[in-house]
Amino acid sequence: MAAGACNVQADPRTVLIGLAAPMSGLSGNIGVSLERASELAIKDINETKPVIGGEPVVFKLLPLDDRADPRTGEWIADYFVKSKVAAVIAHWNSGVGIPASKIYAAAGIPHLSPGVTAPAFTLQGFETTFRLVPHDGDGARLTAEYVLNELKARTIVVIDDRTVFGATYAAEFEKSVAALNGKVSAHYSISSKSSDFNQILRQASALNPDVLFFGGIDAQAAQLARDMRRLGLTASLVTSDGVVGQTFLDIAGPAGENTVAIEPGRPSYKGPQWARFQSAWKARYKEEIYLYAPFAYDAVRVVAAAMNSANSTDTAKVTAELHKIRYQGISGNIAFDKKGDLTEPVFTIYAVKNGRWRAVRTIGGKE
C-alpha cells in the first residue's frame, strides 16, 4: 500500500422507496400489513449487500399514511417527489391511487400498486404505472360467472359505496351479468361512510333477490350482512375484493356466514422464498399474514430486481426494466403488459364457512 493511502470503504448510498397506504381508519390494518411486508422485503434485500452501478447501496422505506383519502394521497405523492424517492409502492384504494399516479408519472417515478384494482388506473397511458394485483374488469367478470353459473341467481340486486373502486366494480359486475344474459333488477348507491342500509334493503326485499352484490370494502360489507339478516333477507351476499379478512368476520359475526368474495392472488403460496417470508412475518409480528401483504413484499423485490437489471437507480431506466421484467415472486409469476397490468392474473373465490374464510376455487395463472 502506498504511503498515506487509506483503506476506507465508502458508506453505502441510500435508495429511498416510498410506501403509502391507509394505516389508520377502517382499512388501517391492511395498510399496516403492507408496510410490514415492505419492511421485510427491504431487510431481505439489504442482507444481500446490494451493489448498483458499482457502488454499495442500502434500501430504506419511507412509509406514510394516506388515510384512504385522495387529497392526502396527492400530498404524499408531492412529498415523495420532493424527497427524491427512487420508486413508490402505493396505494391500496383506487380512489387514491389514480389521482396520485398522475403526480408520479409527471415526475417519472415508477409506481407499483399492491392494491389498486380499478381498470382506469392503467388505462391512463402512464409508462410509470404498474400493479401487482389483477384489475376489477376481470374480477367482476369472474364474479358474475360465479353468481349466474354456480349460485344460479335469477334476481340480482347491486349496491355500491360510491367510491371509485366500489362504483367501478359494481358497474363492471352489472355489465358482465348482462353479457352473460343475466339481469340486475335494481342498483343502489350508498356513501362509503354510512352504516345505515335500512332504506335500501327494504326496497330490495320487495324484489325478493336471491343474490345481493356489494361493491365496497370489509367493514361496511359486514354491516350490510348484519342488516340483511336482521331484516330477514335470505339472499346470498356476494362482494367485491377487499373484504376477505378478520375485520369482516369480527363485525359481521354469524350474519356473515356463506358470504362470497373474489380476491386477487392465491389462497396459499409455496416455495423457499414464501417459507422465508412466512417465517420472518410470524416471528416478527406474531399474527397471520394479511391477504395483500405478499403483493407489497413482491413490489419492493421487483423494484430492486429492476434496478439490478438496469445497474442503475435512474427512474427512467428502472421503469424501462419493469416493462421487460420476468420475476418469480412469492405471489406468483410477475410480468407486466404494455399498460402495466399483470400478464398472468390470478383470483381466488372465498366463502365464509363456520365463521372462517375458506378458499372455494382458484382461477387463472400458471404454476
Side-chain angles (χ1 to χ4, degrees):
M1 181 180 295
C6 295
N7 185 18
V8 178
Q9 186 173 4
D11 290 335
R13 177 170 61 87
T14 297
V15 178
L16 198 59
I17 306 295
L19 180 281
M23 299 176 193
S24 59
L26 293 176
S27 301
N29 57 349
I30 293 172
V32 169
S33 75
L34 300 181
E35 180 186 5
R36 289 174 171 179
S38 299
E39 289 285 10
L40 289 178
I42 293 286
K43 179 177 178 292
D44 287 348
I45 294 166
N46 286 337
E47 285 179 353
T48 68
K49 306 294 184 185
V51 175
I52 298 176
E55 64 177 328
V57 299
V58 60
F59 284 81
K60 182 179 179 181
L61 194 69
L62 176 58
L64 292 173
D65 179 8
D66 66 25
R67 301 189 298 178
D69 175 66
R71 289 188 178 181
T72 302
E74 289 176 319
W75 176 86
I76 286 173
D78 285 330
Y79 182 78
F80 282 158
V81 172
K82 292 175 184 176
S83 300
K84 300 187 184 304
V85 299
V88 172
I89 312 303
H91 298 257
W92 188 70
N93 302 86
S94 294
V96 181
I98 292 172
S101 67
K102 298 176 174 64
I103 297 171
Y104 303 131
I109 297 173
H111 171 205
L112 291 81
S113 172
V116 170
T117 55
F121 182 61
T122 53
L123 292 177
Q124 301 172 99
F126 298 146
E127 288 289 319
T128 52
T129 301
F130 305 86
R131 62 172 136 216
L132 276 288
V133 290
H135 64 73
D136 292 335
D138 286 336
R141 175 178 53 81
L142 293 171
T143 305
E145 289 176 0
Y146 186 82
V147 164
L148 294 173
N149 299 333
E150 302 293 329
L151 299 182
K152 308 296 183 184
R154 295 179 179 275
T155 305
I156 303 168
V157 169
V158 172
I159 304 174
D160 71 70
D161 68 354
R162 292 183 186 155
T163 65
V164 172
F165 162 68
T168 299
Y169 202 113
E172 290 288 336
F173 171 78
E174 187 167 356
K175 183 169 66 176
S176 295
V177 168
L180 293 167
N181 298 316
K183 182 181 178 182
V184 170
S185 300
H187 188 150
Y188 306 98
S189 296
I190 188 171
S191 168
S192 61
K193 296 178 173 56
S194 176
S195 59
D196 182 3
F197 288 92
N198 289 325
Q199 182 177 354
I200 287 175
L201 292 178
R202 288 192 180 97
Q203 294 177 39
S205 65
L207 300 171
N208 194 27
D210 37 36
V211 165
L212 196 155
F213 173 82
F214 178 63
I217 58 175
D218 50 8
Q220 198 175 26
Q223 184 60 50
L224 172 58
R226 290 171 63 95
D227 288 350
M228 286 174 63
R229 304 316 174 207
R230 179 174 53 80
L231 293 175
L233 268 76
T234 58
S236 297
L237 176 60
V238 178
T239 73
S240 54
D241 59 73
V243 172
V244 172
Q246 195 61 40
T247 298
F248 177 88
L249 299 177
D250 289 345
I251 297 174
E257 196 70 9
N258 297 318
T259 296
V260 172
I262 294 184
E263 296 280 2
R266 301 181 183 279
S268 61
Y269 302 101
K270 58 187 178 181
Q273 190 181 185
W274 167 257
R276 176 175 176 170
F277 171 74
Q278 183 182 50
S279 177
W281 178 284
K282 292 190 174 181
R284 188 166 180 176
Y285 304 123
K286 315 294 184 187
E287 64 180 27
E288 293 300 311
I289 298 169
Y290 281 78
L291 188 146
Y292 284 84
F295 303 116
Y297 180 87
D298 278 347
V300 176
R301 296 297 299 261
V302 165
V303 164
M307 291 177 179
N308 186 61
S309 296
N311 199 27
S312 173
T313 58
D314 177 81
T315 55
K317 293 179 180 178
V318 173
T319 297
E321 287 299 323
L322 285 169
H323 279 283
K324 298 184 290 184
I325 203 159
R326 299 292 183 272
Y327 185 82
Q328 177 62 50
I330 62 173
S331 63
N333 298 321
I334 298 170
F336 304 105
D337 63 18
K338 292 181 180 179
K339 299 191 300 294
D341 288 326
L342 290 173
T343 59
E344 296 180 17
V346 179
F347 292 89
T348 297
I349 301 172
Y350 293 87
V352 179
K353 299 294 181 183
N354 298 318
R356 294 181 59 190
W357 286 107
R358 300 185 186 275
V360 175
R361 185 183 309 156
T362 299
I363 305 167
K366 300 175 182 177
E367 291 294 334

